[in-house]
Amino acid sequence: MDAQEYQVLNYMFTFPTLNQAKAHSKYLSQVIGIKRTHAQEIVAFIHKQNTWAELVMLCKDLGGTLLSDNSHFPTLYCSQETIARFDSVISKYRKAIDDIIAVSPKVHDSLLTRISNKDYHRISGSIVGSLLDEIEGYESYRSSTAENVLFCLNFWDDSVFKAIYNRNTKCNNPTLSPEFLPQHFYAYYNFKGKSVDISCREWDLNLERPSKLKRSSNAVDERSFQESICTRKWFKPYMIGYLKMICQHFRMAGFSGNIRIHKILNYSANNHKTGIRDDYYHDEIAGLFDALIKLGGRYVREKGAGGELLDIDCLEISFFADGTNQWMIGESTI
């Protein structure tokens, strides 16, 4: 890759147009199942604005303009030239991608499916940039193969397909961090046939309220962060909606299973059960645990690597591929 091409990679991201921001809030509202106004505020927070009105004004001023290297805005969108370039590069491997989709469990939001359908607007700019960097890097050394490219696509996938694709791997613990749905879901996945056992060690938000104190490892700062995010009206519906989406994707792929949750925003299920209010406690996080229990969750002992029960409780929720679990179909709401 020459210096000119490297410059293109550095300046390929754009600030969203108003239409892109509106489409983002609509998408978030539909897939998570929250009010459009709530989705709009989340999208505003993603782009470092305090309100949707502020974001609308900024989109009118900056929409479509290129972001500089030191921009503090997220890299969700690419220029049209970059998208065309990506389409040209990935088209060489489209048959291999379609072949994998044909023989794999169906996850409609997988990165492979989005590429196959040319839904590039639903692939974050940072993923597009990383894929271009890696694939063109392979090609510059004449080492590009369909196998290498599929490995890259699996590595950068931000859907549950990443866990399903690696279901025969001994240590299957991808982090799901979809940038259009700013979540952080770190878990271990243990597959047995059409059953999956999921142990979620960390469930978090990749989101900050711009006007409030930023996050850090300091517990006092963490409480300030919680006050700014957890008190928003959309907090519980948004978190539950994302968990439902994960379960639905597994169900639609033909899997039944359990999700055991250890921590939500650093507050542990074990402490919630025993009533301990540590530095990470917040009424709204406790309320989220309570809401999950009302929706069918239950406290169970965590299992060790050998299947033995450990001296720690977590919150477990079951889902079934046959759709018999009412909560997963969406009849129950907060």
Side-chain angles (χ1 to χ4, degrees):
M1 184 179 299
D2 61 30
Q4 184 178 4
E5 288 176 323
Y6 185 74
Q7 276 300 106
V8 173
L9 281 180
N10 277 349
Y11 294 93
M12 57 193 266
F13 306 118
T14 62
F15 195 80
T17 64
L18 183 56
N19 284 340
Q20 286 174 323
K22 288 180 177 179
H24 187 180
S25 65
K26 180 179 179 180
Y27 168 73
L28 199 156
S29 174
Q30 290 177 338
V31 300
I32 300 296
I34 58 176
K35 294 179 179 179
R36 182 69 63 86
T37 53
H38 291 169
Q40 288 173 341
E41 182 174 83
I42 293 172
V43 172
F45 284 7
I46 291 173
H47 293 286
K48 315 300 182 184
Q49 304 305 300
N50 293 302
T51 66
W52 175 252
E54 287 183 10
L55 178 61
V56 168
M57 292 299 296
L58 203 58
C59 287
K60 291 178 179 178
D61 290 338
L62 298 179
T65 59
L66 294 174
L67 299 179
S68 62
D69 286 347
N70 59 357
S71 172
H72 68 287
F73 294 117
T75 52
L76 286 182
Y77 301 98
C78 294
S79 65
Q80 290 301 313
E81 294 79 6
T82 302
I83 292 298
R85 176 179 168 189
F86 179 71
D87 182 61
S88 175
V89 168
I90 206 69
S91 64
K92 307 168 191 174
Y93 311 97
R94 196 169 296 281
K95 182 180 184 305
I97 291 171
D98 290 340
D99 288 346
I100 290 292
I101 292 174
V103 299
S104 300
K106 300 298 182 288
V107 178
H108 79 277
D109 207 36
S110 72
L111 181 57
L112 293 181
T113 301
R114 281 174 275 170
I115 290 174
S116 178
N117 295 336
K118 294 192 175 185
D119 290 333
Y120 300 139
H121 63 286
R122 290 177 48 221
I123 305 174
S124 72
S126 59
I127 290 180
V128 170
S130 297
L131 289 172
L132 274 174
D133 199 4
E134 293 188 24
I135 296 172
E136 291 181 337
Y138 284 137
E139 293 178 343
S140 68
Y141 290 103
R142 298 182 179 178
S143 61
S144 181
T145 65
E147 184 179 1
N148 288 339
V149 172
L150 289 171
F151 176 85
C152 290
L153 293 175
N154 177 60
F155 180 84
W156 290 106
D157 197 344
D158 53 6
S159 75
V160 301
F161 184 77
K162 185 172 185 176
I164 296 173
Y165 186 81
N166 295 315
R167 59 190 179 278
N168 295 321
T169 304
K170 185 175 182 180
C171 186
N172 188 357
N173 60 331
T175 298
L176 304 183
S177 296
E179 293 179 80
F180 282 106
L181 308 172
Q183 294 265 354
H184 178 93
F185 193 86
Y186 173 65
Y188 286 82
Y189 300 80
N190 182 22
F191 288 84
K192 291 182 179 179
K194 283 295 186 177
S195 177
V196 57
D197 186 72
I198 304 169
S199 178
C200 176
R201 305 302 175 86
E202 299 173 9
W203 184 17
D204 210 344
L205 275 174
N206 281 341
L207 191 66
E208 295 172 345
R209 191 174 179 186
S211 62
K212 299 296 181 179
L213 188 64
K214 304 303 181 186
R215 304 196 67 172
S216 77
S217 58
N218 184 285
V220 175
D221 291 347
E222 179 72 14
R223 284 196 295 275
S224 296
F225 165 79
Q226 291 172 346
E227 286 293 337
S228 69
I229 288 291
C230 299
T231 56
R232 309 310 296 165
K233 291 181 180 180
W234 47 258
F235 173 68
K236 281 190 288 187
Y238 177 59
M239 297 293 281
I240 290 173
Y242 181 70
L243 191 64
K244 283 186 177 183
M245 187 191 77
I246 289 177
C247 293
Q248 285 285 55
H249 284 177
F250 275 111
R251 290 180 62 239
M252 293 172 68
F255 292 94
S256 300
N258 301 301
I259 297 180
R260 292 189 305 282
I261 300 169
H262 285 245
K263 292 181 179 180
I264 301 177
L265 275 66
N266 286 321
Y267 184 60
S268 73
N270 190 70
N271 282 353
H272 178 256
K273 181 188 177 185
T274 56
I276 296 176
R277 298 192 175 194
D278 62 10
D279 288 335
Y280 300 108
Y281 172 86
H282 191 282
D283 286 344
E284 294 302 320
I285 302 177
L288 176 55
F289 275 116
D290 292 337
L292 291 172
I293 291 172
K294 289 180 180 178
L295 292 171
R298 59 199 172 277
Y299 281 107
V300 298
R301 287 295 175 93
E302 179 57 295
K303 299 176 183 178
E308 71 280 9
L309 294 179
L310 304 178
D311 189 23
I312 185 171
D313 286 299
C314 47
L315 186 68
E316 182 177 78
I317 292 175
S318 299
F319 58 92
F320 305 92
D322 61 8
T324 57
N325 188 329
Q326 188 182 34
W327 178 67
M328 293 305 152
I329 303 175
E331 281 84 354
S332 297
T333 58
I334 298 298

